[in-house]
Amino acid sequence: MTQHFLISSQARTLSLAKVARMSDDEAYDAFCRLRWVETDGEPACPRCGCVGAYNMRTRKKFKCKTRECQHQFSVTSGTIFASRKLPVRDYLLAIAIFVNGAKGYAALQLSRDLDVQYKTAFVLAHKIREAIGAAQSDNSPLDGEVEVDGAYFGGHIRPKNEAKDRIDRRRNKYQTGKRRVVVVARERRGRTLTFVHKAEGEGVASINRCVATSATIHADEASHWDALHMRYLTKRINHKRAYSTDDSNTNQAESFFSRLRRAEVGTHHHISGQYLDAYALEMAWREDNRRISNGEQFLAATNAALEHPVSRRWKGYWQRAT
């Protein structure tokens, strides 16, 4: 019997213990090599791009050698981890812990693992989500065989204790207004893109923007997908009759929703509608990278974080919130 990839030794190339045992200098050197791969760890000024800088003796910072620039910067300057307060090793450990969560990783659990406040862990996890989400959502359109579907998340209505007081929670008049739909476009053997809307039919415009006209669309029997026939070769599957036929299925889209649903119910227990887009992109990244080792996932997430600019959404988040 063939062993599943996820339980094979090839899937385990990253050891949390090795990262946690790193000294401050070892972690700092590793971070420099990851930040400046092209120069083998030699610092490059984020302002002018000049390679080579003076090491400041009083603190771990660099000063650009260019006379016109002389910008002072650190290993995290200009990245999503700019203005950091934690040691560099903690950021490497946080990314390693984060990628190991197959169905996501809760901020409360991360705060306990790193021994930091919940607020710190919450923002740190969202910064990683923003970075990998940006890497996931490049500008190239999906092509080939593309599956599209939608599923609703959030806005849970707790049923009443006594049966006589219970309502039909599916009806619009009983909705809280917090429920959102995640529309997914998944390229077979390719990327997964997600969009968050109030209604599934609004996803048609998103599909038109991100999918090339030469693609073949696979969708279910929902009537709002009828509009896709005008632009694409569209194949439909009626789930009331079958989940899959020789001609069409949306199994890959359903696989993504399964991962996102388990993250909402089993890991985070609640996902706010205003952050649903971030969690959806995270699960798309996890789904697309599920067949590579955790060491490769770690490098991909770290590179995405170090290439991403300062987050305008999460830098100073709690200061703005208060």
Side-chain angles (χ1 to χ4, degrees):
M1 180 177 177
T2 304
Q3 189 181 40
H4 194 283
F5 170 76
L6 295 181
I7 60 176
S8 67
S9 59
Q10 288 79 13
R12 304 187 307 274
T13 59
L14 173 68
S15 170
L16 293 180
K18 290 181 180 179
V19 178
R21 284 196 293 263
M22 278 184 174
S23 66
D24 291 339
D25 291 337
E26 289 174 340
Y28 188 81
D29 291 341
F31 214 85
C32 288
R33 290 195 299 271
L34 290 170
R35 171 78 192 272
W36 296 296
V37 178
E38 297 82 359
T39 58
D40 195 25
E42 184 70 18
C45 178
R47 177 175 293 179
C48 69
C50 174
V51 177
Y54 300 108
N55 286 308
M56 301 182 69
R57 295 182 179 179
T58 55
R59 47 187 174 163
K60 287 193 173 181
K61 278 196 168 185
F62 306 100
K63 184 176 181 180
C64 181
K65 289 183 177 181
T66 306
R67 181 177 300 179
E68 295 77 13
C69 181
Q70 295 191 352
H71 176 59
Q72 295 183 15
F73 59 96
S74 70
V75 68
T76 55
S77 293
T79 73
I80 204 165
F81 296 138
S83 304
R84 63 181 173 89
K85 302 296 188 297
L86 298 176
V88 168
R89 181 182 58 244
D90 287 5
Y91 289 93
L92 292 176
L93 187 58
I95 297 173
I97 293 172
F98 184 87
V99 300
N100 272 345
K103 303 298 188 296
Y105 209 83
L108 180 61
Q109 191 171 354
L110 184 61
S111 71
R112 293 172 176 175
D113 291 340
L114 299 179
D115 190 21
V116 296
Q117 291 186 19
Y118 171 80
K119 291 182 177 182
T120 302
F122 179 81
V123 169
L124 179 55
H126 270 295
K127 284 183 177 180
I128 300 173
R129 287 189 189 96
E130 180 177 318
I132 62 177
Q136 185 73 13
S137 302
D138 61 26
N139 294 324
S140 58
L142 303 183
D143 207 345
E145 304 282 327
V146 179
E147 299 180 14
V148 301
D149 202 357
Y152 285 84
F153 295 85
H156 175 71
I157 303 173
R158 181 175 297 178
K160 298 293 184 180
N161 177 42
E162 297 187 14
K164 64 182 179 62
D165 297 328
R166 293 173 189 167
I167 59 176
D168 186 351
R169 294 178 291 170
R170 297 170 297 178
R171 302 183 65 179
N172 287 334
K173 67 178 182 178
Y174 296 127
Q175 297 300 311
T176 63
K178 297 180 180 179
R179 198 159 178 79
R180 295 289 184 271
V181 62
V182 176
V183 175
V184 63
R186 186 164 191 185
E187 186 181 52
R188 292 178 179 174
R189 296 174 296 278
R191 293 183 299 126
T192 303
L193 298 181
T194 59
F195 311 93
V196 177
H197 299 287
K198 289 186 177 181
E200 188 174 354
E202 297 175 6
V204 174
S206 299
I207 300 302
N208 289 336
R209 289 196 303 270
C210 74
V211 179
T213 54
S214 57
T216 300
I217 297 289
H218 295 262
D220 60 20
E221 73 280 5
S223 60
H224 44 257
W225 301 130
D226 294 347
L228 296 175
H229 288 269
M230 301 176 61
R231 186 179 176 92
Y232 305 98
L233 171 61
T234 306
K235 298 181 179 181
R236 310 292 287 274
I237 177 72
N238 190 334
H239 287 159
K240 294 179 180 179
R241 298 179 180 176
Y243 292 118
S244 175
T245 65
D246 293 337
D247 191 47
S248 181
N249 69 77
T250 57
N251 290 346
Q252 293 298 305
E254 296 293 348
S255 175
F256 162 77
F257 286 131
S258 176
R259 186 182 294 266
L260 182 56
R261 188 75 67 191
R262 284 175 170 81
E264 179 192 34
V265 176
T267 301
H268 303 289
H269 305 301
H270 170 73
I271 295 178
S272 174
Q274 61 180 322
Y275 306 129
L276 182 57
D277 59 334
Y279 288 98
L281 283 172
E282 175 199 349
M283 293 306 146
W285 183 87
R286 291 186 186 279
E287 190 72 7
D288 289 351
N289 292 279
R290 70 192 186 281
R291 297 296 182 183
I292 65 175
S293 68
N294 60 346
E296 293 174 290
Q297 291 177 1
F298 170 76
L299 291 176
T302 304
N303 289 333
L306 294 179
E307 291 175 0
H308 195 282
V310 178
S311 173
R312 298 306 171 190
R313 184 177 188 181
W314 294 108
K315 182 180 179 182
Y317 173 81
W318 291 110
Q319 289 83 350
R320 295 195 304 271
T322 55

